Every structure is written in C-alpha cells, then in structure tokens.
Amino acid sequence: MNYTPLALYIDGELLAGDGRRHQDVVNPATGEILGRLPHADAADLDRALRAAQRAFEGWRLSSPMDRAAILRQVAAFTRERADAIARHMTLDQGKPLAEARNELLSCADHADWHAEECRRIYGRVIPARKPEIRQMVLREPVGVCAAFTPWNFPYNQAIRKICAAVGAGCAIILKGPEDAPSAVLAIARMFHDAGLPPGVLNVVWGVPSEISDTLIRSPIVRKVSFTGSVAVGKQLAALAGAHMKRVTMELGGHSPVIVHEDADVARAARHLARFKVHNAGQVCISPTRFYVHDRIHDAFVEAFVAEMRKVRVGDGLDEHTDMGPLAHARRVPAMTRFVEDARARGARVLLGGNPLDRPGFFFEPTVVGDVPDDALLMTEEPFGPIAPIARFSDEDDVLRRANALPYGLSAYVFTCSLRRAHRAAQELQAGMVNINHFGSALPETPFGGVKDSGIGSEGGSETFDGYLVTKFVTQI
Ligand code: NAD
C-alpha cells in the first residue's frame, strides 16, 4: 500500500528511527497497519523548543510580504498535491476521497486568506493630550505557540493554526493527530518546500498528555491553541492559565437544529441528512439534536429517514461511498452506547442503530425518534452518524431547550419566517448560527464557540487576534 513516510519535523529536518518509540497507524476501513509513527522523546521536544525560540527571533521581524508569499505558495502546493494527499488522508482517517479532496481545496483558500490578511495587521495612533506626544498601538507576534490538532479534519485543523501563527510572525510547534498523521506531514513538507525558515514550524508526535504537559510548562511557549474535546480543552486551558499563557480553544459542540412549522421540509431533510453523515458525523459543528415542530414532525421524519437510507457506506477509496468508517475502533462501542441508552429511555430507532458486520470501524447511518431531552444523545456529543429527533410545539420552549446545554458552538434553524429567523439569531447561545443553510468554516468568516465550546475564533478578520499581543508606545 502506497502510504506517506512518517517522521517528526524539527528545525527543518524530517526525523525517524534512531531508537525512538513508535506507534502503528491503522486504516479504519480495513484494520490494516499503514505505517509506524515515531514519537518525539525528551531530546526531540527540547530541540523543537530551542529551534522555535531561535527561529522566532528572526521570523518576528520578517516582512508581511515575505510571509504572504510563503502562504500563497503553500496554497498553490495544496492545490497541486491535493490528489495524493487526499488519498493518504482517506487511508488513515477513513473519509471518502471526495470529502478529503474538498477539505484540501478549502484549505488552499484558508492559506490564501491568511496570506492576504497578514498584510493588514494594523496598529493605530491615538490622539494625544499634548501636541508634542505621539501615542501608538503596535500589534506584535505573541511568540512561540504550541498547538494540538485532532483527527477529524487532519489537514484543515492544522493548517488554520499554522497559517495564523506563521502569518502573524510567530513560530509554532504542532502536535497533530497520531491516528491520522499524513495530512500534517504533508503541510510540513509544503512549508519546507515553500522556503519557510527552519524552526518556524515544527511537528511532533507522541503521547498527547506528555507532549502537551512539556510544551505548555516550557517558558519558551507563550500561546496554546487546541482543537478537541471539552474535557481535554479544560485541562489544557487550566495548565496554560497556571503558567499565564494565552489560549485559543476550539472545543466540542452539541448543535441544536430547529425545524419550524413553516420550514421547507423536503429541503431541510435533504440538507440535514447530507450534513449529518459528512465525515461520518465526526464534525464538531455536526447537526446534533433535532427539534421538529409537531405539525410537520411526521413529514420531516419520513423525508429525513428516506434521505439517510440512501447513504452508501463503505471504504472511502471507493468512489461510490458517501460515508466512510469511524476513525477509531473506540468510536464504534461509543455509538452503540448512545443508541442503547436512548432505547432504554423509550426512544424508537427508526433507521440503523448497529455496527456493520465487516472489517473496519463502520456504524450505520442512524435515526432515533421521540428521544427524551435527558437521553445521552441529547446531552453528550455523539460525534458519529446518529440523528436524534424530538418534538416541540412552542417557540419559547424550543429556544430554552436549545440553550440548555453547556455547549455553544453552532446552531441550525429552518424557517421561512423572517421574525423567527431574526429571533433565533438573537436568542441562540452559539458562536455560529446558520439559518436555512450550512455556511460555517469559510476562511473569511470567524469560527469559534461560546460557553464550554471554547475561547477565541479562527478565520475571519479575527484570525490573528490570538497570535498577537498589544504594545502601547508613547513618545515625546
Ligand atoms: P479525546 O478527548 O481523547 O481526544 C481529542 C483530541 O485531543 C485528540 O486529537 C487527542 O490526540 C487530543 N488530546 C487528548 N488528550 C490530550 C492532551 N492531554 N493534550 C493534548 N492533546 C490531547 O477524544 P477522542 O476519543 O479522540 O475523540 C472523541 C471526542 O473528542 C469527541 O466526542 C469530540 O467531543 C472531541 N473532538 C472534537 C473535535 C473538534 O473538532 N472540536 C475533534 C476531535 C474530537
């Protein structure tokens, strides 16, 4: 099987072997071992920290034009190399090839956006109280960043953090997903080929808690950025707080979907089904809890189940596949637990509900009806292809239920009423509210959550905020 060579990337060098510990990388569609990923040892982490510190001293003074040129080159490489990288990402992560390719092409846009935006990191002049005084606000790169990215969008999650750090003039040490490492290594190779000075970007692998502990405690690191689960995000934010480091946290969600009685039911069902099985539901902004108005409930459920029934499950390398496997063996029993809990609480399984009897980590597209609000499916993030549906009859009540969880990442509303749309936009406690379509995660729009779903935004004109510090200069 043609799969990418696996390595660490430190101070401009790809490193493997030399007696380092390693772990196997597995194809989730077959269970087959694809390669051996070397873990960084203490000396590697120390080298990455020192390299990043040294590189930052030069990179912080680089021209935004030079940073933009590198980011634009990375965008071009991403488009050129998309087919090969997508194939490796399907092999180690499981998503269908077409989804992997789309992820890459959208990432090329992210790199281009950061190339444009990094030239517009402006300070300001504040009018002074005396004519001989000049008061200036400068925005400077924060320093060396430690970043931790997950396995669900291996390329996208990493490139957003790397582009923001590099574009702002920071150096970065990134620990990518050990289960699906090929995409992050492809990014490292592109920045290398684009001429990024050694040490500005470093990629390490290992036991996540050991690496984050070492990097966050190091006085060299000034900023921590993490995408992953709320539980881990809280631990890392607490450690970063204890060492007074800035954080960006992109954490889990539990996105409510409200389908009002005046919605275009067929359209809502079609769009929601397609988005629900995207990346086998392993998406932090996946539509998660469905609240459907009593008057259209049965029509919606029928249309939604019919759409979900059409989904073709299989190996992502097969061009007919709509939905691939879950990314890990551990996610399959997690799905079964959600379904069993819902059943025990009186819910009805309307479609699927079981693992597929074949090699790999497959679970059926699943729809569960009449799910009570206290079921695990309605309170914990399933992160899989399961759609739980509940009824509502009162607008105030559904907004209250939508806001009842500690999460606040994304929310979806389907309605033809301007008043209802406006009210939802105003009342929903979420970082991103999508009305009648799915429009989040573009490079030019901010992506981030409120409440337990995180701190800060990636993308949009906010994208560099987390990577800059403010310096005030007054001069006479
Ligand atoms: P997990 O909490 O074990 O891991 C999530 C991610 O965090 C992984 O990439 C992991 O390598 C990393 N991680 C874990 N402990 C860490 C530590 N101490 N320091 C640094 N990184 C650490 O969960 P999982 O089983 O891999 O995934 C399941 C859950 O994770 C999902 O239910 C979902 O809530 C969450 N998740 C969220 C996103 C997202 O995009 N927000 C992505 C992946 C996973």
Side-chain angles (χ1 to χ4, degrees):
M1 180 70 66
N2 171 20
Y3 180 66
T4 196
L6 299 172
L8 305 157
Y9 179 69
I10 298 175
D11 204 6
E13 271 188 73
L14 289 166
L15 304 167
D18 293 333
R20 290 181 180 86
R21 281 185 299 173
H22 70 270
Q23 74 181 71
D24 291 337
V25 177
V26 171
N27 180 343
T30 60
E32 176 195 6
I33 293 173
L34 295 165
R36 287 155 64 101
L37 182 72
H39 280 195
D41 57 27
D44 291 322
L45 292 183
D46 187 53
R47 185 172 169 206
L49 284 161
R50 281 184 290 108
Q53 185 176 34
R54 186 208 65 235
F56 172 64
E57 286 313 317
W59 191 244
R60 75 189 176 89
L61 301 173
S62 61
S63 154
M65 310 302 153
D66 295 340
R67 293 181 218 152
I70 287 179
L71 291 171
R72 270 199 301 274
Q73 185 59 60
V74 166
F77 283 149
T78 303
R79 293 185 182 102
E80 274 170 40
R81 302 179 189 183
D83 285 343
I85 301 170
R87 198 181 152 74
H88 293 156
M89 194 153 70
T90 293
L91 282 173
D92 64 19
Q93 199 274 349
K95 65 180 68 186
L97 258 182
E99 279 186 24
R101 213 180 127 68
N102 282 343
E103 179 175 339
L104 284 152
L105 296 180
S106 81
C107 287
D109 291 351
H110 277 278
D112 272 336
W113 166 260
H114 284 82
E116 292 160 14
E117 246 354 64
C118 77
R119 298 170 57 184
R120 304 190 184 98
I121 297 176
Y122 299 124
R124 67 189 196 277
V125 174
I126 300 176
R129 295 181 178 205
K130 293 185 181 164
E132 63 274 24
I133 294 179
R134 282 282 174 279
Q135 303 184 131
M136 288 170 292
V137 177
L138 307 180
R139 300 182 82 207
E140 298 185 336
V142 59
V144 173
C145 308
F148 306 90
T149 56
W151 44 264
N152 57 342
F153 291 94
Y155 201 91
N156 177 290
Q157 310 273 23
I159 203 152
R160 286 199 290 187
K161 295 187 195 309
I162 295 169
C163 287
V166 166
C170 297
I172 179 167
I173 304 170
L174 184 130
K175 188 201 79 62
E178 285 76 15
D179 325 78
S182 63
V184 170
L185 279 167
I187 297 174
R189 290 192 180 95
M190 281 181 206
F191 274 96
H192 187 90
D193 295 348
L196 188 74
V200 176
L201 166 64
N202 305 274
V203 172
V204 294
W205 315 102
V207 176
S209 56
E210 291 174 9
I211 298 208
S212 56
D213 201 65
T214 304
L215 295 183
I216 296 173
R217 284 177 196 277
S218 165
I220 291 173
V221 167
R222 297 308 325 153
K223 191 235 158 56
V224 177
S225 183
F226 172 75
T227 300
S229 60
V230 171
V232 174
K234 285 184 175 176
Q235 281 171 30
L236 300 192
L239 186 59
H243 294 268
M244 201 48 70
K245 306 201 170 166
R246 282 157 198 264
V247 294
T248 300
M249 292 281 149
E250 296 286 351
L251 307 180
H254 203 291
S255 306
V257 179
I258 301 175
V259 187
H260 281 287
E261 58 189 300
D262 56 33
D264 177 339
V265 169
R267 185 171 174 278
R270 199 169 57 246
H271 283 261
L272 283 163
R274 217 172 287 152
F275 195 26
K276 180 68 243 179
V277 297
H278 187 67
N279 205 7
Q282 303 165 116
V283 182
C284 54
I285 56 170
S286 186
T288 307
R289 291 170 277 153
F290 290 57
Y291 301 105
V292 181
H293 194 279
D294 256 337
R295 284 207 187 97
I296 49 135
H297 175 271
D298 293 356
F300 175 83
V301 168
E302 192 185 330
F304 184 71
V305 168
E307 293 291 339
M308 291 285 275
R309 204 186 292 282
K310 289 183 200 161
V311 174
R312 294 165 299 185
V313 181
D315 188 323
L317 290 180
D318 178 345
E319 60 175 309
H320 300 297
T321 293
D322 300 313
M323 187 182 103
L326 296 165
H328 308 285
R330 65 176 177 272
R331 300 303 304 156
V332 178
M335 294 305 109
T336 304
R337 174 173 159 263
F338 279 110
V339 174
E340 279 173 3
D341 171 81
R343 245 199 212 111
R345 292 170 198 267
R348 290 178 305 130
V349 177
L350 304 172
L351 183 73
N354 299 300
L356 285 185
D357 185 16
R358 54 176 283 174
F361 318 137
F362 291 92
F363 200 85
E364 295 174 305
T366 297
V367 184
V368 189
D370 295 322
V371 185
D373 283 1
D374 61 353
L376 286 181
L377 268 175
M378 299 300 263
T379 54
E380 278 182 27
E381 194 176 16
F383 227 61
I386 310 181
I389 303 182
R391 297 164 183 269
F392 78 94
S393 54
D394 176 74
E395 188 176 356
D396 289 339
D397 180 53
V398 79
L399 289 171
R400 183 191 56 73
R401 288 161 77 192
N403 287 335
L405 298 192
Y407 298 102
L409 193 56
S410 191
Y412 304 96
V413 182
F414 287 83
T415 178
C416 291
S417 152
L418 273 180
R419 185 196 62 75
R420 287 198 174 112
H422 182 73
R423 178 143 189 246
Q426 192 165 291
E427 296 297 324
L428 286 170
Q429 297 166 3
M432 293 164 279
V433 178
N434 294 250
I435 301 175
N436 291 326
H437 85 138
F438 303 102
S440 296
L442 298 169
E444 62 274 24
T445 60
F447 187 101
V450 298
K451 297 162 75 181
D452 275 5
S453 291
I455 300 173
S457 294
E458 293 181 336
S461 54
E462 289 84 353
T463 202
F464 294 116
D465 290 351
Y467 295 85
L468 298 168
V469 288
T470 298
K471 182 186 274 177
F472 172 62
V473 178
T474 181
Q475 180 180 336
I476 198 160

